[in-house]
Amino acid sequence: TEIYTLSLHDALPILKLPRDNALAKTFIGGVPEQMTSVTVFRQHAGDVTEEYQVYWKGRVAGVDVGGDTVTLECENIFTSMRRPGLRARYQITCRHALYQNGCGLDKSSFAIPATVVAAAGSAVTIEDLGSSAVEDGYFVGGMIETADGYLRYIVRHSGNELTLIRPLTALIDEVTTSSDGSADVTLYPGCDKSETTCTAKFNNLDNHGGFRIPGKNPFANSVTGSIA
C-alpha cells in the first residue's frame, strides 16, 4: 500500500493515504463492510538480512477525510478488553439485539429469499415476493444480506421498496454488473422491541429483554397520599 505518512502518537499508528489510494477509497462515504486490521513491521538500519519484525498489531478505529488525504487512526486490538461490559437497562422495550445473544432467535428460521432489481444509494427495489408477501414495515429493523454475506440494517419498508441505513456497495456493484441487472439476497424481518411484536411475530416472549414498568410513578404522591 502506498503510504504518505506513518507516525506514532501515544504508540498508536496514524496512517495518511492519498485520496485516490485503493484502501483510502473504501473509507470515503462510509465504513468498509469488514474490520480493517493493521500490522506494523520494523527493521533495524543496516540489517543486511532484511529481517522484518512485527512491531504493532491493531485495527482502524477512526477516519478523517480532508483535501487529498485520508487519515486512518488506529487502536490496539486489546483496547476493547478495557471497555466496560454492557449493563441491562430498566426499560419497557427489549434491550437485546435482534437475532443476537439474549434474543436467541435463529435468523435462518425467518429468512426470506428475494431478488433485487434496482439499487441506488440507500434505496433498494425487490421483486414481488409472491406467496411471501408481507405488510409494509415488516422488514423495518431487520436486515438484508447479499450472497457474499454482507449485511445492512433496514430503516424503511413500503411495498417492494426498502431503505437501508446506508448504501450497500457490494449489492449496488452486483446489480450493476450482472447480466440481467438483478441480485439474489436474503431478507430478515425486523422487530420494534415490544412484547406484542415479540409474541405475535416471533413467538419469543420468554427471551424478551424488556421490563413491565408500572405506568404510575409511586414517588409522585399527592398530599393525600394517593398514587398519581
Side-chain angles (χ1 to χ4, degrees), residues 102-139:
C103 172
L105 291 176
D106 181 3
K107 66 183 175 89
S108 64
S109 300
F110 299 90
I112 299 178
T115 300
V116 173
V117 294
S122 299
V124 172
T125 303
I126 56 178
E127 279 187 339
D128 186 4
L129 293 175
S131 60
S132 299
V134 294
E135 69 277 7
D136 289 352
Y138 185 77
F139 293 109

Side-chain angles (χ1 to χ4, degrees), residues 89-187:
R89 292 189 175 184
Y90 188 57
Q91 59 188 46
I92 295 177
T93 55
C94 182
R95 64 187 185 275
H96 301 312
L98 185 61
Y99 306 120
Q100 301 299 317
N101 294 336
C103 172
L105 291 176
D106 181 3
K107 66 183 175 89
S108 64
S109 300
F110 299 90
I112 299 178
T115 300
V116 173
V117 294
S122 299
V124 172
T125 303
I126 56 178
E127 279 187 339
D128 186 4
L129 293 175
S131 60
S132 299
V134 294
E135 69 277 7
D136 289 352
Y138 185 77
F139 293 109
V140 173
M143 301 175 293
I144 183 172
E145 183 178 19
T146 68
D148 293 330
Y150 295 123
L151 295 165
R152 193 67 86 241
Y153 185 80
I154 299 172
V155 296
R156 191 173 294 109
H157 165 215
S158 178
N160 291 338
E161 301 295 327
L162 303 177
T163 302
L164 311 183
I165 192 170
R166 60 185 177 86
L168 182 51
T169 305
L171 177 60
I172 296 174
D173 291 344
E174 186 175 354
V175 171
T176 303
T177 59
S178 65
S179 59
D180 59 355
S182 66
D184 293 331
V185 297
T186 304
L187 302 177

Side-chain angles (χ1 to χ4, degrees), residues 13-93:
I14 296 177
L15 310 179
K16 293 187 177 182
L17 309 174
R19 192 184 184 95
D20 59 355
N21 176 271
L23 175 60
K25 288 180 180 179
T26 63
F27 289 92
I28 298 176
V31 181
E33 308 300 337
Q34 306 293 338
M35 180 185 71
T36 303
S37 59
V38 177
T39 303
V40 178
F41 298 88
R42 73 175 179 178
Q43 176 195 31
H44 289 290
D47 184 357
V48 295
T49 63
E50 296 185 354
E51 184 179 6
Y52 290 89
Q53 299 291 335
V54 174
Y55 176 67
W56 186 91
K57 277 181 173 271
R59 57 188 175 188
V60 175
V63 181
D64 180 48
V65 180
D68 295 329
T69 302
V70 176
T71 303
L72 308 181
E73 298 179 358
C74 306
E75 69 173 7
N76 192 300
I77 196 69
F78 296 108
T79 55
S80 60
M81 298 177 64
R82 297 199 299 265
R83 295 172 183 163
L86 297 177
R87 302 294 191 267
R89 292 189 175 184
Y90 188 57
Q91 59 188 46
I92 295 177
T93 55

